[in-house]
Amino acid sequence: MRVFIAEKPALGAAIAACLPGPQRKDEGYIQCGANDTVTWAFGHLYEQAEPDDYLPDDIPRGKNGRKRWRMEDLPILPDQWRKEPKPKAAKQLKVIRGLLKNAANVVHAGDPGREGQLLIDEILEAVDWRGPTQRIWLASQDETSVARALAGIKDNAEFVGLRDAAEARARADWLIGMNMTRAMTLSNSGGGLVSVGRVQTPTLALIVARDQEIEDFQPHPFYVPQLVAAGFVSNWKPSATDGSGFDPEGRLIDKARADALASAAKAAGTATVDSYKKDTKRQEPPLGLSLSELQKICSARFGMTAKQVLDIGQVFWDNKLTSYPRSDCRYLPDEQHGDAAGILGSLSQTFEFARSADPARRSPTWNTAKVGEHHAIIPTGNVPSQLSDAQAKVYEVVCRSYVAQFYPEYAYDAVAVTLTCADEAWNANGRKIVTLGWREVFGDRPVDAELPALSDGQVLAVEDARVEEKKTTAPARFTEGTLIDAMSGIHRFVEDAEAKAKLKETSGLGTVATRPDIIEKLKNRGFLLVKGKQLISAPAGRTLISALPPVLTDPVTTARWEDVLSDIAAGQATLAQFEAAQREQVVQLVEQAKSMQVQIGEARAPGGGKTNRKPPAGPACPDCRAPTITLKTKAGKAFYKCESCRSCWWPGFKNAKTLGKKWESR
């Protein structure tokens, strides 16, 4: 008997539909003919054990039974890592164990990627499966893709690097998160939980740095000398911008010089065409959609959060409407180009723009050599029945991106003119659309800026000369879309040339799968405020970043960790090496935290309003030191509820539903 273990029931059903023999659905699995059985998980069925499982039994416990947080118990460094089944996993794990008793071999059908690999591998390890194991790699759940994947099943041993990379990430997150959250919370005189994370903290640091840059920004004027000849405007082109009178970005800030240049041009009366160039430029359509690109577009156009877009993408994946959503790739394999006619034909039933697409066209997006674990997000061709407004918007973005690959190039005539006037150079640029091409799919028509036909040496009358005054502007605040873009392009925030080049090639903050949850955690924990589309660091977030050592706040640090995880996945580094480095670093960080004293209270919005509608914070829980929130009964009496152990206390008096002691006495 061959047993397939899928990551989720929907994927299991898609696989079963493509297997031979009659199907019989039972509790937790599908029997396919006499030789195949398909079962499934529900995402991760196992989770890392809690710190209490690694701490000595003589540590005092609170009334809730959990061991109290104490600085002397840190750092917590497990000798032997433990995983526990999730509470709701027992029934399905029993099904899987029963099926494996009669299995000749197993086919690992986790989602493509590190987490999908670990998710099924950890089940097989927990149930002590030692038989042959194969791997099916599914980027889409439509029938064609599943059939193709079934024909190319591989040995699961080829993917051990992915499993180790996911395990390394999980252990690093646990070591940093559990130890530093406890250490900083115990050092916090403000009484609240201080959440620290390997990725969330440097992400917060990005926003804090941007906000501080905006608040410290002082606008200054700069000047653009211009002349008008033959009906068009030309801007002065300096021969050098590194002398006096220019700012560090090369803008002219000397108004007297600007006025003198304009006066000289007007006095000259004529300008000579030094160079006139006209070239037809062609642009291929934008590359396909990665998750980050999709989130960026939907944030800018629709104000959607990164998590909303990912959740919608997951729904599409589960319902076989689009390919795997957690993709960081913008290319498509050449082998799938033959599917285009069918997909475009299906899309043309819904979208008029799909009817003019040419399935024979092959844009640069089709490049197997640049496809990694996943390919770009594309529609499968299955027609959706009912979509919510948000789902319809995201689906259309995905479809337009795919259809654009089968439209002609966008072509335009680009004109560049250089004039000489008063011994100075003046430049103008124009363009005129020749073929709209793929831009038609996006409803995007650039405005023509035509220049007259000129010839070299032609003399033009100066109609006007003037100075346009402009002001420098502060950088824009982050939105979810631009923050996702910054996290994936972290090299842009690095000054060291060597590190920048390396990070541009390989790294990002977190992964496409984890970034949306990171942003949600920062919002929910009161470190970020949301104002329209903007993300703004809360006072609590700023205080935390200023208190932590740079190794935890520098985005380059965690981006380099992602490099090592990629090396582990490729077999070029080991889980043991990475974990040893993390353990050593945690020891040092905890020692630093023990000497700190910080005060991080509840995050509040400008003007004193509470952030994210979170209830006011109460004193730290006397049992587990976790934060509490202040709630009220229907009668209006306030009480505290622990966010971790969920115990409740009534301030100042006893109550039968509480621990029976006054808060002040504990």
Side-chain angles (χ1 to χ4, degrees):
M1 177 70 68
R2 182 172 60 166
V3 176
F4 289 77
I5 306 179
E7 182 161 328
K8 293 179 181 175
L11 179 57
I15 293 171
C18 293
L19 293 172
Q23 293 187 18
R24 178 177 59 85
K25 190 169 184 179
D26 210 325
E27 188 70 29
Y29 68 94
I30 301 173
Q31 184 67 43
C32 303
N35 299 317
D36 292 321
T37 302
V38 181
T39 187
W40 45 78
F42 299 97
H44 278 283
L45 298 186
Y46 286 87
E47 58 189 355
Q48 293 284 353
E50 292 290 326
D52 275 12
D53 293 328
Y54 301 110
L55 292 170
D57 289 335
D58 60 357
I59 292 178
R61 294 176 181 266
K63 290 292 183 68
N64 63 351
R66 303 183 70 170
K67 297 171 184 175
R68 297 194 181 188
W69 292 16
R70 306 187 307 181
M71 194 70 87
E72 59 264 35
D73 298 319
L74 301 178
I76 305 169
L77 303 171
D79 292 327
Q80 184 73 36
W81 287 95
R82 307 173 195 171
K83 291 185 180 181
E84 301 294 338
K86 290 186 174 181
K88 295 182 179 180
K91 185 176 180 180
Q92 189 62 16
L93 284 172
K94 183 178 179 181
V95 170
I96 295 173
R97 286 179 185 274
L99 293 172
L100 293 183
K101 289 180 180 179
N102 300 316
N105 69 301
V106 165
V107 179
H108 182 311
D111 283 354
R114 292 191 325 215
E115 287 303 315
Q117 187 65 38
L118 175 62
L119 191 147
I120 304 300
D121 279 346
E122 65 187 1
I123 295 174
L124 297 176
E125 292 165 12
V127 302
D128 201 28
W129 167 255
R130 299 178 183 275
T133 309
Q134 296 175 300
R135 179 67 155 103
I136 182 172
W137 195 265
L138 278 164
S140 294
Q141 295 187 39
D142 60 282
E143 188 174 338
T144 301
S145 297
V146 173
R148 185 183 291 127
L150 285 169
I153 290 179
K154 299 181 180 181
D155 190 329
N156 193 53
E158 296 180 24
F159 301 90
V160 66
L162 284 179
R163 179 257 177 225
D164 286 350
E167 189 68 72
R169 191 275 312 157
R171 292 181 183 181
D173 285 352
W174 195 99
L175 289 168
I176 294 291
M178 294 297 184
N179 282 290
M180 290 308 298
T181 293
R182 289 185 175 218
M184 293 303 296
T185 298
L186 292 168
S187 299
N188 179 27
S189 61
L193 177 73
V194 182
S195 176
V196 178
R198 184 180 63 89
V199 178
Q200 74 177 47
T201 301
T203 300
L204 175 62
L206 272 181
I207 301 167
V208 170
R210 173 64 61 85
D211 290 347
Q212 290 175 337
E213 183 182 359
I214 292 170
E215 289 158 17
D216 294 342
F217 179 80
Q218 295 293 328
H220 69 262
F222 64 97
Y223 307 95
V224 182
Q226 298 177 329
L227 69 80
V228 180
F232 64 90
V233 177
S234 299
N235 293 334
W236 174 63
K237 180 185 178 183
S239 57
T241 59
D242 54 357
S244 62
F246 294 91
D247 67 10
E249 283 71 39
R251 293 173 292 225
L252 180 63
I253 55 176
D254 185 339
K255 188 175 189 303
R257 184 175 178 184
D259 289 338
L261 286 163
S263 297
K266 188 177 291 187
T270 60
T272 303
V273 178
D274 185 59
S275 172
Y276 177 88
K277 294 181 180 179
K278 179 179 179 181
D279 294 312
T280 299
K281 305 286 188 181
R282 300 182 182 277
Q283 288 182 357
E284 294 283 359
L287 295 174
L289 294 173
S290 64
L291 177 59
S292 296
E293 186 67 16
L294 179 60
Q295 289 166 326
K296 181 180 177 181
I297 292 171
C298 292
S299 171
R301 292 186 188 174
F302 316 126
M304 292 184 180
T305 68
K307 190 173 188 307
Q308 279 179 308
V309 177
L310 175 56
D311 288 346
I312 289 172
Q314 185 65 45
V315 171
F316 290 167
W317 161 252
D318 291 341
N319 289 279
K320 309 177 188 178
L321 296 178
T322 65
S323 59
Y324 188 64
R326 294 173 174 81
S327 174
D328 58 359
C329 178
R330 299 188 66 182
Y331 291 89
L332 294 167
D334 294 300
E335 298 81 2
Q336 290 189 16
H337 189 269
D339 301 335
I343 295 175
L344 292 171
S346 177
L347 295 180
S348 66
Q349 299 176 38
T350 306
F351 301 111
E352 186 175 350
F353 58 77
R355 296 167 193 166
S356 300
D358 178 4
R361 289 194 65 85
R362 189 181 292 266
S363 72
T365 295
W366 300 96
N367 191 333
T368 301
K370 294 188 177 183
V371 174
E373 294 178 6
H374 319 292
H375 59 63
I377 303 170
I378 63 172
T380 62
N382 290 333
V383 178
S385 54
Q386 288 185 330
L387 297 178
S388 68
D389 180 61
Q391 289 172 341
K393 289 176 178 176
V394 176
Y395 184 69
E396 185 169 333
V397 170
V398 173
C399 292
R400 286 185 186 274
S401 171
Y402 182 76
V403 171
Q405 308 306 319
F406 304 96
Y407 265 66
E409 300 166 320
Y410 163 58
Y412 62 94
D413 287 336
V415 177
V417 177
T418 301
L419 305 179
T420 299
C421 179
D423 295 323
E424 298 287 345
W426 306 75
N427 284 355
N429 294 287
R431 68 169 56 197
K432 178 178 173 60
I433 296 173
V434 176
T435 304
L436 197 57
W438 54 266
R439 286 185 177 272
E440 184 180 341
V441 177
F442 299 109
D444 175 19
R445 184 181 183 90
V447 177
D448 284 334
E450 295 188 60
L451 296 181
L454 303 171
S455 57
D456 292 356
Q458 184 175 349
V459 178
L460 308 176
V462 174
E463 299 164 10
D464 190 18
R466 63 205 182 205
V467 175
E468 182 179 14
E469 181 176 337
K470 298 184 177 182
K471 278 193 175 182
T472 56
T473 56
R477 293 198 187 272
F478 280 118
T479 65
E480 293 218 12
T482 57
L483 180 58
I484 287 283
D485 189 49
M487 293 171 76
S488 60
I490 195 63
H491 64 277
R492 300 196 299 270
F493 301 85
V494 179
E495 295 183 1
D496 180 82
E498 183 178 351
K500 179 187 286 285
K502 176 65 176 174
L503 293 171
K504 183 177 182 180
E505 178 184 351
T506 60
S507 298
L509 262 182
T511 67
V512 291
T514 60
R515 288 167 193 150
D517 284 338
I518 292 299
I519 297 173
E520 289 301 310
K521 286 179 182 177
L522 290 172
K523 290 190 292 186
N524 293 337
R525 290 169 180 174
F527 293 140
L528 287 185
L529 310 175
V530 180
K531 183 179 181 181
K533 294 182 181 180
Q534 296 179 337
L535 298 176
I536 304 172
S537 55
R542 299 187 184 200
T543 303
L544 174 61
I545 294 304
S546 65
L548 289 172
V551 71
L552 286 175
T553 62
D554 187 355
V556 175
T557 302
T558 195
R560 285 175 173 160
W561 290 350
E562 287 294 337
D563 281 349
V564 180
L565 295 178
S566 296
D567 288 343
I568 294 172
Q572 298 169 358
T574 68
L575 166 60
Q577 292 169 338
F578 180 76
E579 185 180 336
Q582 298 303 308
R583 286 171 176 262
E584 182 179 347
Q585 188 172 73
V586 165
V587 171
Q588 297 171 359
L589 290 171
V590 168
E591 286 305 309
Q592 293 179 47
K594 287 180 178 180
S595 62
M596 291 182 188
Q597 188 65 37
V598 298
Q599 185 169 7
I600 302 175
E602 182 192 8
R604 290 184 177 271
K610 303 177 186 66
T611 69
N612 303 326
R613 299 183 179 179
K614 186 175 180 179
C621 174
D623 282 328
C624 67
R625 293 292 300 172
T628 64
I629 54 177
T630 304
L631 303 175
K632 289 186 177 181
T633 65
K634 291 182 179 179
K637 294 182 179 179
F639 67 96
Y640 304 127
K641 183 175 183 179
C642 176
E643 293 192 87
S644 177
C645 63
R646 300 299 181 185
S647 298
C648 294
W649 292 266
W650 296 80
F653 59 90
K654 298 180 182 180
N655 184 279
K657 294 182 180 179
T658 71
L659 300 182
K661 294 184 179 180
K662 293 181 180 180
W663 186 284
E664 291 79 6
S665 69
R666 299 183 65 79

